[in-house]
């Protein structure tokens, strides 16, 4: 009898331990609740109006073969004056229309869905190209005030369309910004009108206050990626939706095996959370201290939905550096007009953080030469002082300068760096 009781006690103890172990495993591996907040939009949302305008522009112009040919020609060669005039005449109603929404609140309109499409973004870029053409024409007529006003309008538009947006909105907004201030950089030595120069400073200061940050962009990207886990679990999303291949290859078969069970999906989800926690930790640091992760996700699902972080960090630093440099250079030219001499240091401009190089956390490099004028530049992606010399593009090396050479005058990709750039 005692032996039976002892046996029952042992079996009960083993059963309890087993149940506790299974409970612990279930708690650790059970699917985490997926909570994705609904998108929130302000009343009179400007982005909604921009979307409708972009769709109308697309419907109105998609059958205009002459316009399409002219638009394609801008990318490769110059166009005739008659074609240029026709292009401006066709785009003018939409350039006028989008301005009426610039003072309204704006939040990007989309759902947290990994397969959501954004046809309006390519059409927003078309508006920017038309504005850039008019900026260049105003500068060629020596009307810098009009040019800067158009650039400020585009800068405002760029921030509106990427506010609350994901990385695709951020990058399109960045493209539009560069399209806006690029002509001003190319003509900076010729812009001496104090009203236009002050407007450039004001544009840069507003950018400092209102620019979209990667922290908010990353939060949106997080929910977009999280939607893949939600939709795979519910069956709304299929493997072919992620890979664009209805017949899985070996990698896709591994992915299929990984997510077919709640165990595999939970494991991938936990890695996803760890990846984004690490990313947000980096984004809480100053721009110059941020680093992209050096390890790739182990789970195939996370490799597919992962957004390249290092390219976003680089794009942000370049954009911030260029806008700050443009504003600082305009302020230096104004200082010279008022006092008859260049400032001894950037601190005399009283521009706060606008004089800080986002690549180093230190003031931009600034030099004065009584014969040549002044140099102002960031050390750029390579973090080296190249003496104010630029490469073909900002990613391939060289410095980032306040002025920009026209594309026809930039160094060949294999030709090294330009001569040092000086401004007056």
């Amino acid at each position: 009898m005692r032996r039976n009781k002892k046996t029952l006690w042992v079996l009960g103890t083993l059963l309890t331990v087993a149940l506790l172990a299974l409970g612990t495993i279930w708690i650790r591996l059970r699917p985490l609740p997926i909570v994705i907040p609904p998108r929130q939009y302000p009343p009179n949302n400007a982005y909604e109006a921009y979307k409708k305008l972009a769709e109308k522009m697309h419907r109105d112009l998609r059958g205009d073969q002459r316009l399409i040919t002219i638009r394609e020609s801008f990318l490769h060669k110059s166009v005739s004056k008659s074609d240029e005039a026709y292009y401006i005449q066709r785009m003018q109603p939409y350039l006028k229309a989008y301005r009426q929404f610039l003072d309204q609140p704006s939040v990007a309109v989309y759902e947290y869905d990994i397969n959501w499409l954004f046809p309006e973004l390519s059409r927003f870029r078309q508006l920017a190209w038309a504005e850039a053409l008019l900026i260049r024409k105003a500068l060629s007529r020596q009307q810098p005030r009009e040019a800067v006003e158009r650039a400020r309008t585009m800068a405002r538009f760029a921030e509106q369309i990427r506010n609350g947006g994901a990385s695709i909105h951020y990058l399109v907004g960045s493209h539009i910004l560069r399209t806006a201030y690029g002509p001003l950089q190319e003509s900076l030595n010729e812009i001496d009108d104090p009203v236009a120069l002050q407007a450039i400073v004001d544009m840069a200061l507003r950018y400092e206050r209102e620019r979209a940050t990667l922290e908010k962009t990353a939060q949106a990207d997080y929910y977009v990626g999280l939607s893949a886990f939600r939709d795979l679990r519910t069956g709304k999303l299929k493997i072919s939706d992620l890979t664009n291949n209805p017949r899985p290859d070996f990698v896709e078969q591994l992915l299929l095996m990984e997510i077919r069970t709640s165990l595999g999906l939970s494991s991938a989800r936990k890695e996803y959370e760890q990846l984004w926690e690490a990313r947000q930790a980096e984004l809480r640091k100053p721009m110059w201290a941020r680093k992209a992760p050096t390890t790739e996700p182990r789970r195939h699902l996370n490799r597919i939905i992962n957004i390249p972080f290092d390219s976003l960090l680089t794009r942000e630093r370049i954009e911030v550096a260029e806008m700050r440099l443009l504003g600082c250079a305009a302020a230096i030219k104004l200082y010279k007009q008022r006092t008859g001499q260049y400032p001894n240091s950037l601190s005399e401009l009283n521009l706060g953080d606008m004089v800080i190089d986002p690549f180093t956390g230190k003031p931009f490099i600034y030099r004065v030469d009584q014969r040549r004028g002044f140099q102002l530049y960031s050390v750029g992606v390579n973090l080296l002082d190249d003496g104010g010399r630029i490469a073909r593009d900002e990613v391939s090396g060289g410095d980032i300068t306040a002025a920009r050479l026209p594309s026809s005058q930039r160094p060949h990709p294999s030709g090294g760096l330009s001569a040092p750039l000086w401004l007056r």
Side-chain angles (χ1 to χ4, degrees), residues 259-321:
I259 67 173
R260 262 182 174 161
T261 66
S262 61
L263 177 64
L265 197 57
S266 294
S267 181
R269 165 77 186 284
K270 287 186 177 180
E271 182 189 56
Y272 179 79
E273 296 288 353
Q274 292 168 357
L275 291 170
W276 280 95
E277 285 174 9
R279 185 167 293 194
Q280 289 286 9
E282 287 300 315
L283 290 173
R284 286 191 287 270
K285 300 176 182 177
M287 270 184 285
W288 52 88
R290 297 171 183 171
K291 296 180 180 179
T294 56
T295 56
E296 289 291 320
R298 293 191 303 110
R299 299 291 176 176
H300 297 287
L301 175 58
N302 289 326
R303 291 180 185 178
I304 289 176
I305 66 177
N306 184 51
I307 296 172
F309 191 45
D310 53 347
S311 60
L312 282 172
L313 293 178
T314 300
R315 178 68 261 152
E316 180 187 44
R317 288 171 182 150
I318 291 174
E319 176 190 297
V320 171

Side-chain angles (χ1 to χ4, degrees), residues 69-70 72-81 83-84:
T69 302
I70 294 170
E72 292 173 350
S73 298
F74 278 126
L75 302 176
H76 309 291
K77 60 182 180 180
S78 59
V79 299
S80 67
K81 289 188 178 300
D83 279 348
E84 187 179 272

Side-chain angles (χ1 to χ4, degrees), residues 185 208 235 237 251 284 299 412 424:
Q185 290 177 309
E208 284 290 311
L237 191 67
V251 173
R284 286 191 287 270
R299 299 291 176 176
H412 189 272
R424 289 187 174 278

Side-chain angles (χ1 to χ4, degrees), residues 232-243:
L232 284 167
R233 182 184 293 175
T234 61
K236 179 183 176 182
L237 191 67
K238 298 180 176 61
I239 297 297
S240 57
D241 296 328
L242 290 173
T243 61

Side-chain angles (χ1 to χ4, degrees), residues 36 110-116 118 166 218-231 272 305 307:
I36 300 178
Y110 63 101
E111 293 299 323
Y112 293 127
D113 182 337
I114 201 163
N115 285 324
W116 191 269
F118 302 94
Q219 187 64 50
D221 285 340
Y222 166 75
Y223 286 128
V224 171
L226 197 60
S227 73
F229 290 89
R230 175 198 62 194
D231 295 343
Y272 179 79
I305 66 177
I307 296 172

Side-chain angles (χ1 to χ4, degrees), residues 344-415:
N344 294 317
S345 70
L346 296 179
S347 62
E348 295 181 32
L349 300 174
N350 297 317
L351 294 176
D353 288 344
M354 208 165 83
V355 305
I356 300 299
D357 187 342
F359 286 93
T360 65
K362 301 175 182 177
F364 291 118
I365 295 173
Y366 169 65
R367 299 189 184 100
V368 174
D369 183 286
Q370 296 305 320
R371 293 180 297 106
R372 292 180 290 183
F374 68 94
Q375 277 189 315
L376 180 68
Y377 59 90
S378 159
V379 296
V381 177
N382 64 6
L383 303 179
L384 300 175
D385 183 351
D386 290 304
R389 296 173 172 85
I390 65 169
R392 178 70 182 180
D393 61 74
E394 295 80 3
V395 176
S396 58
D399 297 324
I400 298 175
T401 56
R404 183 192 298 184
L405 291 173
S407 57
S408 59
Q409 298 178 25
R410 294 175 200 163
H412 189 272
S414 60

